Amino acid sequence: MAASGSERVAMELCKGINGLDKVVLRDPRGSTAEVYLYGAHVTSWKNDQGEELLFVSSKAIFKPPKAIRGGIPICFPQFGSHGSLEQHGFARNRFWSIDTDPPPFPTNSKSFIDLILKPSEEDMQKWPNSYEFRLRVALGTGGDLMLTSRIRNTNADGKPFTFTFAYHTYFSVSDISEVRVECLETLDYLDNLQNKERFTEQGDALTFESEVDKIYLSTPTKIAILDHEKKRTFVLRKDGLPDAVVWNPWDKKAKTMADFGDDEYKHMLCVEAAVVEKPITLKPGEEWKGRLELSAVPSSYCSGQLDPQKVLQSS
């Protein structure tokens, strides 16, 4: 069926950096998103003012097999070093295909792309499981960015498989020392800087003055990231993703990363919707779904409303 003129504008396949295929999504009001087929990797999300909301390093290497530094890498079938595979699994450095026959999917968005990943022979040697990973990336009418992952076990031998997962989102912030994260107060977390030891978060909202790498457990469905200087709040809504990873490498670690500028830690913060502590197990034919919705609103709109108790009650 031929697409109408407006639908053609809403989704365009073109060439990105180093000739890699990418999809550009456009909302009628002017917001945009870009998704590389390499890694099914969202590398840009701009509001209707053309402001970039995601961080991508100026030193990011858009060259397989290296994962792209920034945007929204997809960690599957393993988050971090929680398993025997390479760091963050292999989905983020595989070429995905456009899914020409996606299953029925309720959506209000006209601007979306469906991508699919199936295992290669090489992947089967590392992780001997057959699966279909379907991802829809959509731009909502208000410029919200929505990612929905559906992972199905297609093993023919009756074998279940287990995985961990994260949307490793890099948010662009004006100054990390002026940022706070709300809705994670009083929660338990695993500290990756202290051998994954378990602690309980104290005090008020999270603020940042040194390296942080924490996995918060049993988190609410909404998390807010307040950027005081920009007077902007990111609201992260999630479903099927009980954990939330908060990461900033700070200055010393930044200097050790070849694809990350020495001072770029000041302008980014990762808050990642994830499933880490209790891995997902799927029997053949079973499907898991994990959904992330990101919105950016003026901070005045949020302050006072995102008191954690109210967020928990309304989620």
Side-chain angles (χ1 to χ4, degrees):
M1 191 173 74
S4 71
S6 64
E7 283 172 333
R8 272 201 298 273
V9 171
M11 193 280 282
E12 178 192 2
L13 181 62
C14 55
K15 293 292 180 189
I17 296 169
N18 291 335
L20 294 171
D21 288 329
K22 72 175 180 181
V23 171
V24 180
L25 303 177
R26 292 187 184 89
D27 169 70
R29 295 184 193 175
S31 54
T32 61
E34 295 186 3
V35 191
Y36 275 73
L37 268 52
Y38 177 60
H41 199 131
V42 178
T43 56
S44 175
W45 169 41
K46 293 181 180 175
N47 63 16
D48 54 12
Q49 308 295 307
E51 295 172 306
E52 181 58 68
L53 303 172
L54 297 178
F55 166 87
V56 173
S57 173
S58 62
K59 295 191 169 184
I61 298 164
F62 285 76
K63 202 167 186 183
K66 182 73 181 165
I68 299 165
R69 173 70 67 190
I72 311 180
I74 287 176
C75 305
F76 170 85
Q78 175 184 301
F79 172 78
S81 57
H82 291 251
S84 58
L85 296 172
E86 62 208 80
Q87 173 86 354
H88 291 325
F90 48 71
R92 66 187 184 143
N93 45 25
R94 294 293 179 270
F95 284 95
W96 293 52
S97 305
I98 292 176
D99 190 356
T100 51
D101 188 25
F105 202 115
T107 184
N108 300 323
S109 172
K110 292 256 178 12
S111 184
F112 60 87
I113 184 70
D114 288 296
L115 300 174
I116 187 166
L117 180 69
K118 295 180 183 180
S120 67
E121 285 181 22
E122 182 195 346
D123 295 339
M124 292 287 275
Q125 287 168 6
K126 291 182 186 174
W127 197 65
N129 292 294
S130 183
Y131 63 87
E132 289 178 352
F133 185 154
R134 287 184 154 90
L135 173 72
R136 172 168 289 194
V137 182
L139 265 181
T141 47
D144 294 0
L145 182 65
M146 294 164 284
L147 286 82
T148 307
S149 289
R150 292 187 292 180
I151 297 167
R152 181 179 290 276
N153 181 337
T154 56
N155 277 335
D157 59 5
K159 199 173 59 164
F161 64 65
T162 297
F163 64 90
T164 50
F165 176 94
Y167 293 112
H168 196 314
T169 310
Y170 288 72
F171 291 96
S172 174
V173 299
S174 52
D175 177 352
I176 187 64
S177 63
E178 295 290 319
V179 169
R180 74 176 198 263
V181 176
E182 294 190 349
C183 312
L184 300 176
E185 302 86 343
T186 73
L187 297 180
D188 283 3
Y189 64 87
L190 307 178
D191 193 336
N192 284 325
L193 301 179
Q194 300 198 50
N195 227 5
K196 301 187 175 81
E197 202 177 324
R198 192 179 185 118
F199 298 93
T200 301
E201 189 59 60
Q202 305 299 321
D204 300 320
L206 273 62
T207 55
F208 302 93
E209 48 197 31
S210 60
E211 183 182 356
V212 61
D213 190 355
K214 296 176 178 177
I215 303 167
Y216 289 85
L217 310 173
S218 304
T219 59
T221 55
K222 293 182 199 171
I223 299 168
I225 304 156
L226 286 75
D227 185 335
H228 297 289
E229 205 168 292
K230 280 228 169 83
K231 298 186 169 56
R232 173 191 292 148
T233 296
F234 292 109
V235 181
L236 183 158
R237 293 179 177 85
K238 59 193 178 60
D239 188 44
L241 299 153
D243 304 324
V245 182
V246 177
W247 180 69
N248 183 295
W250 221 253
D251 55 346
K252 284 196 183 121
K253 181 151 192 195
K255 288 184 172 69
T256 69
M257 294 155 61
D259 60 348
F260 191 90
D262 289 358
D263 291 327
E264 286 186 327
Y265 72 91
K266 296 174 183 174
H267 306 297
M268 56 71 66
L269 177 66
C270 286
V271 179
E272 314 164 29
V275 182
V276 182
E277 188 199 19
K278 294 173 182 163
I280 302 292
T281 297
L282 294 179
K283 294 177 187 153
E286 289 185 336
E287 183 178 85
W288 170 85
K289 185 161 129 181
R291 188 168 178 278
L292 172 67
E293 183 175 342
L294 304 177
S295 50
V297 296
S299 286
S300 55
Y301 170 81
C302 271
S303 51
Q305 289 185 13
L306 278 162
D307 143 45
Q309 285 314 113
K310 290 179 190 165
V311 167
L312 287 168
Q313 286 158 10
S314 63
S315 61

